[in-house]
Amino acid sequence: MTARPHPGLFVTLEGGDGAGKTTQSALLEEWLTRQGRSTLRTREPGGTEVGLLVRDIVLHHRGDIAPRAEALLYAADRAHHVETVVRPALERGDVVIQDRYLDSSVAYQGAGRVLGRAEVRDLSLWAVDGLLPDLTVLLDLDPAAARARLNADDKPFDRLEAEKDAFHARVRQEFLALAAEEPDRFLVLDASRAPDEIAAAVTARVSDLLAH
Ligand code: TYD
């Protein structure tokens, strides 16, 4: 196992809308707090004030955004977030628990749209000066099951949630392909399992990483 480039631990959660990332982030944070670790919970897009403005554009703008512009907006949010929030926390020794990171860009902008995955990944890596997560938890869920969960919420769909199931199926396949390419970084979990079972698998892996 390679030594981490920072005293903290960078954990990201990925998966389609409705896979349970928020629930798992909260459970992981509770567990870490009980272990006496300081944590930072954050998300993209929208982990900073600038990011909230970007989030408003990418999620709530009515009408098309050119694919390269959309990719740059997510990358801009990410660049500012990593520089001002994530890296300082990792340098302090925090465990950063982050809802979505660059794998979301590759899956949504790369596979889902017209851009290639390599260019989207390279753009994001440039934006964050090469910072990769120490662990990425992929909560894998069939898009039909995810949609049923989102429908149960009674909230109006945002722009991306309203896209067709075929798009979400492509995003899912892209996440799984990314996980297959980097098996050491990814922990793929079946998101239809009970939340506490998923949480146990996540904490086991995090505990292992913290021990090294
Ligand atoms: P999310 O924060 O999960 O929003 P919510 O929980 O309110 O639904 O994600 C917002 C959307 O942004 C989601 O559909 C995925 C998309 N997204 C991208 O397309 N590219 C990215 O780089 C990121 C971070 C998110």
Side-chain angles (χ1 to χ4, degrees):
M1 183 162 312
T2 45
R4 287 193 295 278
H6 38 247
L9 187 74
F10 188 21
V11 180
T12 59
L13 290 99
E14 298 282 5
D17 304 335
K21 297 186 300 302
T22 309
T23 304
Q24 290 305 321
S25 298
L27 291 172
L28 178 58
E29 183 176 45
E30 277 169 27
W31 180 82
L32 285 161
T33 304
R34 284 202 300 275
Q35 308 299 306
R37 295 290 308 208
S38 51
T39 58
L40 176 84
R41 244 180 97 187
T42 186
R43 68 168 182 185
E44 289 181 5
T48 61
E49 273 184 40
V50 169
L52 285 171
L53 299 172
V54 176
R55 182 179 173 92
D56 199 40
I57 300 172
V58 288
L59 296 189
H60 302 300
H61 172 74
R62 302 277 160 215
D64 286 343
I65 298 177
R68 282 169 196 267
E70 187 183 48
L72 285 162
L73 284 165
Y74 282 111
D77 165 68
R78 183 160 300 134
H80 187 67
H81 184 225
V82 164
E83 170 91 13
T84 63
V85 176
V86 177
R87 270 193 208 276
L90 292 172
E91 291 307 325
R92 281 198 303 272
D94 288 2
V95 178
V96 175
I97 305 165
Q98 183 166 320
D99 195 329
R100 298 194 185 280
Y101 190 52
L102 86 180
D103 301 298
S104 273
S105 278
V106 179
Y108 284 83
Q109 277 66 58
R113 312 286 176 141
V114 295
L115 304 175
R117 57 200 283 199
E119 57 185 336
V120 176
R121 183 183 161 92
D122 288 349
L123 174 69
S124 263
L125 278 175
W126 177 81
V128 299
D129 199 14
L131 180 70
L132 280 172
D134 302 302
L135 170 65
T136 298
V137 177
L138 174 56
L139 296 174
D140 179 51
L141 189 62
D142 172 64
R147 179 148 299 265
R149 284 189 188 179
L150 289 171
N151 280 333
D153 270 0
D154 217 23
K155 283 188 303 188
F157 278 6
D158 66 35
R159 195 171 66 86
L160 284 171
E161 282 166 359
E163 302 252 3
K164 292 192 291 292
D165 279 353
F167 169 75
H168 290 291
R170 286 203 298 281
V171 168
R172 180 193 191 192
Q173 290 315 315
E174 193 61 26
F175 273 129
L176 289 170
L178 288 168
E181 271 170 27
E182 288 181 78
D184 290 345
R185 172 161 72 90
F186 275 87
L187 174 66
V188 183
L189 297 171
D190 174 357
S192 67
R193 288 165 63 197
D196 56 338
E197 279 177 34
I198 298 174
V202 173
T203 52
R205 178 64 69 89
V206 169
S207 151
D208 195 38
L209 286 168
L210 288 173
H212 290 89

